[in-house]
Amino acid sequence: MRGVVFDGRQTVVVDDLEIREPGPGEVLVAIAAAGLCHSDLSVIDGTIPFPRPVVLGHEGAGVVEAVGAGVTHVVPGDHVSLSTLANCGACAECDRGRPTMCRKAIGMPQQPFSRGGEPLYQFASNSAFAERTVVKAVQAVRIPKEIPLTSAALIGCGVLTGVGAVLNRARVDRGDSVAVIGTGGVGLNVLQGARIAGALRIVAVDSNPAKEEVARQFGATDFLTDVGAVRELLPSGADHVFECVGRVELVRAAIDLLDRHGQAVLLGMPAADAEASFVPAALFLDKSVLGCRYGSSRPQRDIRLYADLYARGRLLLDELVTRTYPVEDFQKAVEDAEAGRVARGVLTF
Ligand SMILES: [Zn+2]
Ligand SMILES: [Zn+2]
C-alpha cells in the first residue's frame, strides 16, 4: 500500500508499505484523507525529534476496515475521524477527564508498519499518510457519513487544537475580547472557536494581508497586519490572546496585550530550546500564561461535538480545505503549505 515515509534524510511516497492486523483493543482504518499539518514538517526539519524511518501524518479520517478483540464502539464500514491521543482510559488523569494529560498518551512509539521486512515507526500514534493504519480504539471516533472525509480529516488536529484551546483551556465567555496572532490552520480554528463561544470582539493579526478574507469568514471582527496596532482597537487590552505562530517576540507581544485578568494562550511551537522574555510585573493584575496540549481535548466527546456543529452550519470545515492532492503529490502539498498558499492542504488516497 501507499504511504509517506521519512527516513531521516528524505521524504518519499512509497507503494510497498505493509501494516499488521489490529490486535486486541485496536482498529484498522482505511484512510480516505489526511491534512498536512505543520507538525509533519517539523518532523522532517528536526524541530520535532522522532525515531525513523517513520510514516508521517496525524490528521486523518477514513473507514473502519477491521476491529480487534474487545472493540465494540465501531464496526467495519463506520466512518471515523482519528485523534492522536492513545490515552489509556484507566489512569487518574483519564478518569478526571484530562486524557491529554495521560502519561501513556504518547508513550513508546510503535512500529505497526513494515517495508521489505524493515519495521517503520508510527507518527503521533497515527500515521494518517498511509492507505491503512492501526490505532487504539479510543482514537477512532465515529462520525456521520454525511460529512465529507476530506473535511472530517481536519477535526483530528487543527480543529481539536484551535477550537479546543478556546472552549476547553481558555474557556472564552460570552462578550469577551479575543486577539489571535497568526491565521494559519490553528489560528483560523481559534477564530471560529471564539465566534462559537460568543466573544464580542475578535481581532485577527497576520502579517499577510491576503489572509483577511478567510479570517473574517471564520469569525474575525477585525483584521490587522501589525500586532502593535491591536491596542488601537482594544485600548485596555484583550481578555484572551492566542499566539499561534511560535515566535518568541510574539509570545512577548501576546503577554503585553493582556487586559486585567487576561490570559495568553501559547499554541505556536518555537524551537524546543527557544527562550522568551517578559516583565513579571506585567502579570500582577491576575494575568496568566497558559500552555495547551491538543486543545485540552476529550476526543470522543469533542470530535462528535464538532461534527454536530458542522452539520448545523456553525463550524466551518470545508472552507479549511484549500486544496486536495493525491498522495503522490505530497511534495507539491509541502511546497504550497510552506509558501502559505493554503489554509490546509489535504492528501487523498
Ligand atoms: Zn497537527
Ligand atoms: Zn490514562
Side-chain angles (χ1 to χ4, degrees):
M1 65 178 191
R2 292 167 296 159
V4 179
V5 174
F6 174 61
D7 66 7
R9 288 176 302 111
Q10 53 179 352
T11 312
V12 285
V13 182
V14 303
D15 60 5
D16 55 352
L17 263 187
E18 292 177 64
I19 181 89
R20 63 168 171 75
E21 291 297 308
E26 293 180 338
V27 180
L28 177 68
V29 178
I31 299 289
L36 175 64
C37 168
H38 198 79
S39 300
D40 298 302
L41 304 178
S42 297
V43 173
I44 296 171
D45 72 19
T47 314
I48 296 179
F50 205 88
R52 305 166 294 229
V54 57
V55 180
L56 296 172
H58 63 284
E59 186 183 76
V63 181
V64 174
E65 204 161 273
V67 299
V71 177
T72 55
H73 77 298
V74 289
V75 297
D78 279 349
H79 287 196
V80 289
S81 176
L82 302 183
S83 103
T84 69
L85 274 187
N87 62 296
C88 75
C91 71
E93 294 294 350
C94 284
D95 206 32
R96 76 202 297 190
R98 290 182 189 162
T100 56
M101 297 294 105
C102 173
R103 291 179 191 278
K104 293 181 179 160
I106 289 187
M108 291 288 289
Q110 305 293 309
Q111 293 175 301
F113 301 97
S114 62
R115 189 175 168 227
E118 179 196 27
L120 290 88
Y121 285 99
Q122 182 176 40
F123 179 50
S125 306
N126 193 304
S127 290
F129 294 164
E131 263 183 272
R132 287 179 190 75
T133 191
V134 165
V135 297
K136 286 177 75 168
V138 71
Q139 297 177 258
V141 183
R142 195 173 66 241
I143 54 170
K145 289 184 178 168
E146 296 75 53
I147 301 184
L149 289 167
T150 45
S151 301
L154 304 187
I155 298 178
C157 182
V159 177
L160 279 182
T161 300
V163 180
V166 175
L167 300 182
N168 302 324
R169 187 70 174 117
R171 294 180 175 274
V172 170
D173 203 357
R174 295 179 300 280
D176 284 355
S177 58
V178 173
V180 182
I181 302 171
T183 61
V186 170
L188 289 175
N189 281 298
V190 172
L191 288 171
Q192 66 174 341
R195 169 175 50 73
I196 290 165
L200 205 56
R201 201 82 188 262
I202 305 172
V203 182
V205 183
D206 199 299
S207 57
N208 181 358
K211 295 288 187 70
E212 175 164 2
E213 188 181 341
V214 69
R216 288 186 183 276
Q217 183 183 24
F218 275 75
T221 59
D222 303 88
F223 182 90
L224 298 168
T225 53
D226 172 20
V227 73
V230 175
R231 284 266 177 194
E232 292 167 25
L233 296 174
L234 302 170
S236 61
D239 295 315
H240 312 270
V241 183
F242 295 85
E243 203 281 340
C244 308
V245 179
R247 281 175 39 196
V248 293
E249 63 271 29
L250 294 175
V251 169
R252 169 65 184 265
I255 293 169
D256 288 344
L257 272 176
L258 295 176
D259 198 351
R260 297 177 170 207
H261 204 278
Q263 45 191 22
V265 186
L266 308 187
L267 300 179
M269 289 263 287
D273 58 353
E275 294 187 9
S277 67
F278 65 95
V279 179
L283 293 180
F284 282 177
L285 286 163
D286 284 17
K287 300 177 190 180
S288 330
V289 180
L290 304 179
C292 182
R293 180 178 185 201
Y294 203 41
S296 307
S297 299
R298 287 183 259 182
Q300 290 286 346
R301 178 197 69 169
D302 291 348
I303 288 177
R304 265 175 226 168
L305 168 65
Y306 300 152
D308 221 29
L309 288 170
Y310 167 82
R312 292 161 196 270
R314 293 178 61 192
L315 183 97
L316 306 182
L317 291 177
D318 307 341
E319 295 80 355
L320 284 168
V321 183
T322 319
R323 203 174 152 184
T324 61
Y325 309 79
V327 66
E328 289 77 12
D329 292 345
F330 174 76
Q331 210 51 50
K332 171 70 181 149
V334 170
E335 287 162 19
D336 285 349
E338 286 178 337
R341 283 192 284 266
V342 289
R344 246 332 183 245
V346 172
L347 303 176
T348 57
F349 289 89

